[in-house]
Amino acid sequence: MLNNREDGGFFEKLKKGLEKTRKSLAESVNTMIFGEKVIDSDLFEELEAILVSADVGPVFTHELIEDMKETVMRKDLKNPETLKRILMEHMTLILKSTDAPLTIRRNGPYAIMVVGVNGTGKTTTIGKLAYDLKRQGHAVMLVAADTFRAAAIEQLGIWGQRVDVPLIKQKMGSDPSAVVYDAVQAALSRKTDVMIIDTAGRLHTKSNLMEELKKMKRIMGRELPGAPHEVLLVLDATTGQNAIVQAKIFNDEIGITGIVLTKLDGTSKGGIVVRIAKELRIPLRYIGIGEGLDDLRPFNSEEFVKAIFE
Amino acid sequence: MFESLTEKLDPIFRKLKGRGRLDEENVRQAMKDIRMALLEADVNFKVVKDFTEDVRSRAVGQEVFESITPGQQIVKIVHDRLVELMGGGSSHLRLANRFPAPIMLVGLQGCGKTTTAAKLAHHLSEKGRRVSLVSADIYRPAAIEQLKILAKELGAGFFEPRDLGDAVRICVEAIGEAHAKGYDTVIIDTAGRLHIDSEMMEELKRIQNAVNPSEILLVADAMSGQDAVSVAERFNELLGIDGVILTKMDGDARGGAALSVKAVTGKPIKFVGMGEKVDAIEVFHPERMASRILGMGDILTLVEKAQFAVDEKEARELEKKIRQDSFSLEDFRNQLTQIKKMGSLKDMLGMIPGLGKMKALKNVEPDEKELVRTAAIIDSMTRKERLNYQIIDGQRRKRIALGSGTTVQDVNRLLKNYAEMRKIMKKMTKGGMKSLRKGNFPF
């Protein structure tokens, strides 16, 4: 299942992963556009249906549509095909503001803390991320700071073996801050380039668990100035409008520096990304488009929008 | 943002108040807001369309009551219809006549199947069943180990697979072992999979054919977006599911997926997952879910209760005072009498959306006995003191305590709570809490 497929370039893979998305969105847009001869209110209604169904969110969709109506009027547009292009440009522009790949600074261990609600795919993302960073030549270390969920440590351990990187762990139920403390010491003495810290999934509404994250962050920063250098929030693309709330609260509580959007290989449209970009302006670092080791891809707004609309 | 849906709707009906019936035009306008609220709650686009059409036709022509605002009335119609649509059907598991009875859990990756399997095992054990757990997840690293640990914690049975080659064989062997060991229920935790992964979906079909489960339950995340329908549809088409378990309901997602999933499958939501502990599983309540989808706490019950108990003129008077920040201890004393008519204070507070989260409120949450004591303390004050609490110094406190048969500490506490309450009221009038505008209550 976790085969390392080598076929196609990035663009092809991305397209493949997003095939369903592309089909549903692009097909509806295309049918709509080639089926219709003029830009009228029906066209906008259909467009609204597409965006809302893609989890862009009703309010934001409304804004987008109003924007486009205005553009159509101002530029005196007649051609529905032009409208498609404008919508693409508009979405790309919004996403562009978050187009910032993760770059690892090479001066001492670079700490990446991975957080999110339960079941978004944190551990799997960490496995793929470790694989990617190792392939780039970094000495990577995994840190099992999810000491709460049954077998979470074992799960990360298996990824460590697969990717062949060391794992720092303690017993289940131990203090995650203590694990982090150990990990920093180990990373310093072993001259590790990147440490990736797996944390327990937690709903953003549980204030005691958010405090736990703050404590981990504090300990990390005390032992390793500047750490964590990256706090990645893992969001599930099948999540609806609550993803925004998650991002907002995690950001307010511990400060998010990047987002990973997972499970884009399903039929979920990932439209939530646009709303996140618009409202929060947190860089979108990666997208998860499959179960393979190399199915974690850097986010690229132009290719993302293209893959959806082409 | 739809904390006060009724408030948003009221202006549409302003002219309508107290006369005639809800007409086509204003109901249509109200439906726009209802539609946005439902979409914001992640109810599927198509489901929303059908739903609003249905409700619109029901609402048009209804009489406008004197007692509540037309906005509240519309919301009540919407709410009742939501309850109706999400209710119905038995929420019981059908496990009779099989020994052992297999229950199969299916769903996407990360929806909470394994945790749910453990919770369900706990739930059924409490009901006297002997439950064994088996993991058919031969793909996710440490998935089997996870279930094993949970089973051990629960004291439930666990099937240890001999080899990990074939999920179907593991299930068949697990049923055989459960039978031999005298377990009457086997919960099968399957691997998370995409509904469009035909190979993996085929595996589920093979497990179903091999063990013929008494119940196949789709586990769905309460935070799911628009796509929840295609997922539920596909699983239901293939397997003919018996029901749904909605997980992660302890978060703040509005959970529109509940309506979507019910709408496309017609299958009942049997349980909801409410937390990480094994006992955090509850039977599904359509009324609570409806209120949640509309983002309004249990405000309707509150409105009903309040209308029953609070004289409307008095309520208006009170509202004015709260707004002007002149809510005195005397008003407070009057309120205590009203509260007694309305039932448990804690329930009342819980019904107000957004209020449950206010930290400051924890100190203002008196128990029923406290109410009696509080009334006694206020009764022992002079009128001047009641109107201006700031003049109550140490001497006065001593006198009040003596008069009411309480202690100075009790008096201090009351005054502190009262001061805090005023602070909250200030917040309420500033924030979006004006939804309690009519038939409303100051807490």
Side-chain angles (χ1 to χ4, degrees):
Chain A
M1 197 150 197
L2 290 151
N3 55 329
N4 182 358
R5 286 169 287 185
E6 285 293 329
D7 55 302
F10 161 75
F11 191 63
E12 280 310 304
K13 278 292 310 261
L14 183 65
K15 262 168 72 173
K16 215 173 135 196
L18 291 169
E19 191 177 22
K20 278 282 161 186
T21 310
R22 206 167 56 77
K23 263 195 193 149
S24 39
L25 253 177
E27 268 174 17
S28 13
V29 168
N30 278 330
T31 329
M32 195 184 83
I33 283 159
F34 296 122
E36 303 272 339
K37 292 278 174 274
V38 285
I39 296 173
D40 58 10
S41 65
D42 281 359
L43 189 74
F44 284 115
E45 247 167 61
E46 273 184 78
L47 208 52
E48 189 207 11
I50 292 164
L51 291 177
V52 168
S53 302
D55 284 319
V56 170
V59 179
F60 184 40
T61 294
H62 185 72
E63 281 172 31
L64 275 175
I65 299 281
E66 291 304 305
D67 270 5
M68 259 181 297
K69 277 182 185 167
E70 209 179 286
T71 315
V72 167
M73 262 201 312
R74 203 177 53 239
K75 296 190 175 167
D76 191 24
L77 292 179
K78 298 271 192 292
N79 184 358
E81 185 58 30
T82 322
L83 188 68
K84 173 187 167 185
R85 194 175 43 77
I86 289 170
L87 176 60
M88 283 175 68
E89 280 170 4
H90 201 104
M91 289 173 85
T92 307
L93 203 67
I94 291 166
L95 289 168
K96 261 258 154 86
S97 66
T98 63
D99 220 336
L102 178 66
T103 42
I104 309 288
R105 286 188 301 274
R106 283 195 187 257
N107 48 352
Y110 190 84
I112 303 173
M113 187 170 163
V114 181
V115 302
V117 303
N118 317 63
T120 55
K122 283 178 294 303
T123 310
T124 309
T125 298
I126 289 171
K128 296 181 198 171
L129 183 59
Y131 174 77
D132 184 45
L133 293 175
K134 195 189 172 206
R135 206 167 41 171
Q136 288 176 32
H138 298 290
V140 180
M141 168 193 283
L142 299 183
V143 183
D146 179 357
T147 58
F148 177 79
R149 206 198 72 205
I153 300 169
E154 286 83 346
Q155 188 180 346
L156 191 68
I158 293 170
W159 278 106
Q161 286 166 18
R162 253 178 214 172
V163 181
D164 190 24
V165 293
L167 171 79
I168 299 296
K169 61 171 180 179
Q170 287 183 12
K171 276 202 206 79
M172 186 178 158
S174 52
D175 181 359
S177 293
V179 180
V180 165
Y181 176 89
D182 277 3
V184 173
Q185 308 311 324
L188 287 169
S189 69
R190 295 183 199 179
K191 307 238 182 306
T192 300
D193 296 324
V194 186
M195 48 194 291
I196 310 177
I197 299 112
D198 188 18
T199 65
R202 65 202 72 216
L203 290 178
H204 48 291
T205 48
K206 312 249 154 127
S207 53
N208 57 328
L209 296 179
M210 296 308 271
E211 287 304 317
E212 186 187 82
L213 282 184
K214 283 186 205 166
K215 185 181 166 195
M216 289 164 71
K217 220 186 135 184
R218 213 163 45 235
I219 302 281
M220 224 183 294
R222 193 187 66 201
E223 298 304 311
L224 180 64
H229 307 87
E230 176 83 356
V231 181
L232 280 179
L233 174 69
V234 180
L235 291 177
D236 182 334
T238 66
T239 308
Q241 301 307 305
N242 194 248
I244 298 289
V245 184
Q246 290 171 26
K248 269 182 190 154
I249 295 184
F250 270 100
N251 192 36
D252 287 350
E253 294 287 326
I254 57 164
I256 300 300
T257 57
I259 287 173
V260 181
L261 189 70
T262 60
K263 307 188 196 173
L264 268 173
D265 47 335
T267 46
S268 281
K269 319 290 193 289
I272 198 84
V273 169
V274 192
R275 191 172 165 197
I276 289 169
K278 171 83 175 182
E279 288 190 23
L280 300 173
R281 298 188 175 272
I282 300 168
L284 243 150
R285 305 290 198 201
Y286 295 97
I287 56 173
I289 53 169
E291 305 219 351
L293 264 178
D294 58 352
D295 283 337
L296 185 73
R297 301 292 170 152
F299 182 81
N300 177 306
S301 56
E302 259 163 48
E303 290 184 355
F304 185 85
V305 173
K306 242 193 233 164
I308 287 175
F309 283 96
E310 240 179 19
Chain B
M1 84 182 287
F2 288 96
E3 201 94 82
S4 53
L5 189 56
T6 52
E7 194 194 34
K8 280 197 76 162
L9 296 181
D10 277 341
I12 298 173
F13 299 102
R14 194 164 287 146
K15 283 185 224 144
L16 202 68
K17 171 92 182 81
R19 65 180 177 90
R21 295 162 187 277
L22 297 172
D23 69 23
E24 193 88 33
E25 177 53 25
N26 46 45
V27 168
R28 198 183 54 76
Q29 280 189 37
M31 281 306 137
K32 278 187 189 164
D33 282 329
I34 302 282
R35 180 176 170 272
M36 288 297 259
L38 295 172
L39 289 175
E40 192 68 29
D42 293 319
V43 180
N44 178 267
F45 190 74
K46 292 192 188 101
V47 176
V48 170
K49 206 172 168 188
D50 293 345
F51 179 81
T52 46
E53 184 47 44
D54 170 62
V55 171
R56 196 190 56 75
S57 63
R58 276 159 198 268
V60 171
Q62 285 214 15
E63 255 179 73
V64 179
F65 299 116
E66 183 70 53
S67 53
I68 53 174
T69 68
Q72 282 167 338
Q73 197 171 334
I74 286 270
V75 171
K76 180 114 175 61
I77 295 167
V78 170
H79 182 269
D80 290 351
R81 187 66 185 140
L82 277 175
V83 172
E84 210 176 304
L85 288 177
M86 286 187 297
S90 160
S91 64
H92 299 290
L93 298 175
R94 294 161 308 151
L95 303 175
N97 307 327
R98 289 287 301 282
F99 188 89
I103 301 173
M104 186 173 164
L105 301 182
V106 300
L108 297 178
Q109 291 98 335
C111 61
K113 281 178 299 304
T114 307
T115 307
T116 301
K119 286 179 181 179
L120 202 54
H122 176 80
H123 175 80
L124 292 172
S125 306
E126 297 240 296
K127 299 208 150 186
R129 298 193 70 96
R130 293 200 67 225
V131 185
S132 181
L133 289 158
V134 57
S135 171
D137 187 352
I138 52 179
Y139 309 99
R140 180 166 62 92
I144 297 175
E145 184 67 20
Q146 184 184 352
L147 192 66
K148 187 180 175 179
I149 293 169
L150 292 169
K152 203 173 158 196
E153 275 173 17
L154 284 169
F158 178 78
F159 176 74
E160 189 80 54
R162 269 169 285 278
D163 75 276
L164 304 177
D166 180 14
V168 182
R169 197 171 62 232
I170 290 175
C171 295
V172 172
E173 286 176 2
I175 305 279
E177 188 189 270
H179 190 269
K181 289 188 175 173
Y183 289 105
D184 56 23
T185 314
V186 178
I187 299 176
I188 301 169
D189 178 25
T190 63
R193 66 201 71 214
L194 282 175
H195 53 298
I196 49 166
D197 186 335
S198 50
E199 210 174 296
M200 288 294 284
M201 291 301 277
E202 189 50 39
E203 183 194 78
L204 285 183
K205 190 72 197 168
R206 284 191 288 125
I207 294 175
Q208 181 186 23
N209 290 339
V211 306
N212 186 22
S214 301
E215 287 268 330
I216 301 179
L217 300 171
L218 174 70
V219 181
D221 189 327
M223 303 186 288
S224 302
Q226 292 288 319
D227 204 40
V229 290
S230 34
V231 174
E233 217 160 26
R234 192 68 75 96
F235 274 97
N236 190 41
E237 269 166 22
L238 183 78
L239 304 167
I241 60 167
D242 298 291
V244 177
I245 300 182
L246 209 58
T247 60
K248 306 180 200 175
M249 281 284 286
D250 47 331
D252 58 359
R254 298 262 294 280
L259 181 66
S260 300
V261 168
K262 178 72 207 286
V264 297
T265 64
K267 301 296 165 60
I269 295 162
K270 299 203 170 183
F271 296 98
V272 293
M274 296 292 298
E276 308 219 11
K277 300 217 174 71
V278 287
D279 59 354
I281 186 165
E282 289 177 11
V283 172
F284 178 69
H285 292 287
E287 315 80 34
R288 286 187 206 163
M289 197 68 230
S291 301
R292 182 168 174 153
I293 287 176
L294 292 173
M296 51 200 322
D298 211 349
I299 193 100
L300 295 157
T301 319
L302 179 70
V303 166
E304 278 164 9
K305 282 198 178 188
Q307 267 161 2
F308 199 70
V310 182
D311 179 310
E312 207 171 290
K313 228 196 258 163
E314 243 175 82
R316 241 185 269 276
E317 196 68 27
L318 195 63
E319 181 193 313
K320 211 168 119 198
K321 281 183 172 163
I322 291 169
R323 278 180 205 279
Q324 292 166 352
D325 197 24
S326 65
F327 181 77
S328 72
L329 275 163
E330 192 153 275
D331 299 319
F332 186 29
R333 176 69 184 86
N334 288 336
Q335 282 309 297
L336 293 182
T337 321
Q338 304 263 11
I339 288 168
K340 277 185 198 153
K341 283 195 244 165
M342 293 167 79
S344 153
L345 188 58
K346 210 176 164 187
D347 286 354
M348 298 291 303
L349 292 170
M351 285 175 202
I352 302 177
L355 223 58
K357 284 178 201 152
M358 273 192 196
K359 274 183 191 157
L361 204 71
K362 288 198 176 103
N363 307 321
V364 210
E365 192 184 281
D367 62 18
E368 308 291 312
K369 265 188 236 152
E370 183 97 33
L371 276 182
V372 180
R373 217 176 312 152
T374 305
I377 292 172
I378 300 178
D379 286 345
S380 299
M381 295 175 184
T382 64
R383 175 127 211 275
K384 210 169 146 195
E385 285 166 345
R386 281 182 220 141
L387 294 181
N388 182 8
Y389 75 107
Q390 270 149 332
I391 63 165
I392 307 176
D393 57 11
Q395 277 308 57
R396 286 173 189 260
R397 282 172 203 223
K398 236 184 252 173
R399 193 205 75 240
I400 293 166
L402 220 57
S404 56
T406 59
T407 63
V408 174
Q409 282 81 6
D410 289 330
V411 178
N412 287 342
R413 195 165 50 236
L414 169 79
L415 290 172
K416 195 177 151 231
N417 286 349
Y418 167 70
E420 264 178 58
M421 199 163 72
R422 284 181 61 119
K423 254 191 256 163
I424 290 170
M425 286 174 176
K426 233 178 178 169
K427 265 191 222 157
M428 276 168 57
T429 48
K430 274 187 199 153
M433 298 298 298
K434 279 168 269 170
S435 57
L436 303 167
R437 202 144 62 80
K438 201 167 137 295
N440 54 10
F441 212 76
F443 297 95

